[in-house]
Amino acid sequence: MENAGKQSGIKHIALLVLPQVQLLDVAGPCDVFTGANLFLPDDKAGLKYQIHLISGTANKIIYSSSGIPLPCTHTIYDADFPIDTLLVAGTDLETLHEINADLYSYLQNMTGKVRRIGSVCVGAFVLAKAGLLKGKQVTTHWKYANILQRTYPDLEVNVNPFFIHDQGIYTSGGVSSGIDLALALLEEDFGKPMASEVAKHLVLHLKRPGVQSQFGNAISDYEMLSPFTKEIRDLLKDKLGQAISIEFMAESVHMSVRNFSRVFLKESGMTPGRFLEKMRLDQAKNMLEYTEMSIEMIAGKCGFGNAVSLRRLFLKYLSISPVQYRKNCTGTE
């Protein structure tokens, strides 16, 4: 795929659009690539980008999640131009069940014909079902990362980066992360100074600080947990400031430690210790956002011996300190 689709002149960028797509999934990358055309030097003016919206259905009008129609110039059934970069925009998980199998065949056929292929947000699920992500490290919207990992266990899903490039495949996180990916692709093509100019034009960071997972919870939404995992979460939620052992968890549900650990890993996808750690992280994040408690006090209420331990946990999962997290969320330290 690395050598496919290379050409002089216009670089054709195709956004594959599905029903219920969020507008920013499409508009963000489009504005980056079209913005780049404004800054091309004279000696590269002939290498401009041209954007195409390709419908993932037989209809050339696709309705976005906000109800705004997106007119596509082509569909997967009639797109016959040489594509340089193909990005699959996201949609909602329910719409994924309605996608025609022809879409996956189209993506499989495009492998090797395009120079780059990638996804924005939930578009990673489409690439995964097409079999293009096997054995690769990928990302998607933080809210759906656990679902992607459970559905496709042969992937390595990393919720932290805003985008990931692995073996010619690019995946990006939730919604606005498509802009981060597009800027990175622009930098690949024309260098950092050009990408920086476009980022400034769009009033954006070229490299956004922090990680994607800082915007979501470390533990999946309650309704997404299994009944067994919900039971353990409910047991622990008011005890996070206390010392909690795996023995205590197992005894509470009348199981041996060994059997409890095995069942919990199967039900939640993580060890009981990791689950407890993430619950404490989520509580600390909430307190940093919505209270004025000191870092030391929050550390104590979340079951950490001191602020140093809390800082280590934040750096482990979010790559930023509690102080920086509070500043990013509230503007205060």
Side-chain angles (χ1 to χ4, degrees):
M1 186 180 300
E2 293 287 348
N3 296 319
K6 287 187 177 180
Q7 56 183 327
S8 59
I10 293 174
K11 292 181 180 294
H12 294 276
I13 309 293
L15 273 293
L16 199 154
V17 185
L18 298 170
Q20 296 303 304
V21 65
Q22 293 193 62
L23 289 175
L24 193 56
D25 278 13
V26 176
C30 284
D31 281 345
V32 169
F33 291 118
T34 55
N37 289 337
L38 301 175
F39 297 97
L40 284 170
D42 292 340
D43 62 334
K44 294 183 178 179
L47 297 175
K48 71 176 183 178
Y49 293 112
Q50 185 170 331
I51 309 297
H52 307 267
L53 299 189
I54 298 179
S55 169
T57 74
N59 300 315
K60 286 191 174 181
I61 301 295
I62 296 293
Y63 285 88
S64 68
S65 60
S66 58
I68 296 175
L70 292 172
C72 299
T73 56
H74 299 81
T75 73
I76 56 173
Y77 300 101
D78 60 26
D80 57 357
F81 56 92
I83 297 174
D84 175 85
T85 302
L86 175 63
L87 298 178
V88 180
T91 180
D92 60 63
L93 292 185
E94 291 303 315
T95 300
L96 289 177
H97 300 307
E98 304 169 7
I99 293 176
N100 191 292
D102 289 349
L103 173 63
Y104 303 112
S105 297
Y106 170 80
L107 290 170
Q108 290 161 1
N109 290 334
M110 293 305 292
T111 302
K113 296 180 181 179
V114 300
R115 182 166 64 99
R116 299 182 296 208
I117 191 166
S119 63
V120 180
C121 197
V122 175
F125 283 78
V126 179
L127 294 183
K129 190 166 182 178
L132 304 187
L133 301 184
K134 289 181 180 178
K136 294 181 173 60
Q137 183 178 133
V138 302
T139 193
T140 187
H141 193 295
W142 58 264
K143 188 174 184 179
Y144 305 115
N146 288 338
I147 298 175
L148 182 63
Q149 185 67 83
R150 289 199 304 269
T151 307
Y152 301 98
D154 56 341
L155 310 183
E156 181 185 344
V157 181
N158 185 347
V159 73
N160 277 334
F162 292 108
F163 64 88
I164 289 176
H165 175 206
D166 189 359
Q167 302 175 55
I169 296 288
Y170 300 75
T171 52
S172 58
V175 196
S176 64
S177 299
I179 299 174
D180 299 279
L181 173 57
L183 286 169
L185 296 178
L186 171 59
E187 184 175 339
E188 277 188 11
D189 291 343
F190 294 107
K192 188 172 182 177
M194 164 76 82
S196 181
E197 284 297 317
V198 174
K200 291 175 184 177
H201 176 68
L202 296 174
V203 197
L204 297 167
H205 291 290
L206 178 58
K207 306 292 185 184
R208 200 180 342 179
V211 293
Q212 186 194 183
S213 54
Q214 68 184 296
F215 297 102
N217 294 326
I219 299 294
S220 299
D221 290 349
Y222 187 74
E223 63 270 15
M224 294 184 179
L225 301 177
S226 72
F228 183 76
T229 310
K230 286 179 182 177
E231 182 179 359
I232 300 303
R233 177 194 173 279
D234 292 341
L235 169 71
L236 302 179
K237 65 180 181 180
D238 296 323
K239 300 179 176 65
L240 296 179
Q242 305 171 19
I244 300 173
S245 65
I246 295 179
E247 287 78 10
F248 167 76
M249 297 186 220
E251 289 173 4
S252 299
V253 290
H254 311 291
M255 297 172 70
S256 68
V257 170
R258 182 177 180 180
N259 190 42
F260 171 78
S261 298
R262 180 184 61 79
V263 172
F264 191 87
L265 179 62
K266 181 180 178 181
E267 292 285 331
S268 70
M270 67 186 87
T271 65
R274 177 64 63 87
F275 187 81
L276 174 60
E277 194 173 60
K278 288 189 172 185
M279 282 192 69
R280 284 173 164 158
L281 174 63
D282 282 340
Q283 179 166 292
K285 288 169 63 178
N286 187 274
M287 289 181 171
L288 287 166
E289 288 184 54
Y290 300 111
T291 77
E292 296 181 357
M293 291 182 190
S294 67
I295 304 295
E296 195 73 37
M297 185 177 294
I298 290 174
K301 287 186 174 293
C302 294
F304 300 99
N306 51 54
V308 173
S309 298
L310 182 62
R311 175 183 169 83
R312 286 177 183 150
L313 187 73
F314 268 72
L315 292 175
K316 174 182 177 179
Y317 285 104
L318 305 180
S319 301
I320 57 175
S321 68
V323 171
Q324 187 60 51
Y325 180 84
R326 173 174 270 173
K327 184 176 181 180
N328 289 351
C329 292
T330 67
T332 61
E333 297 186 10

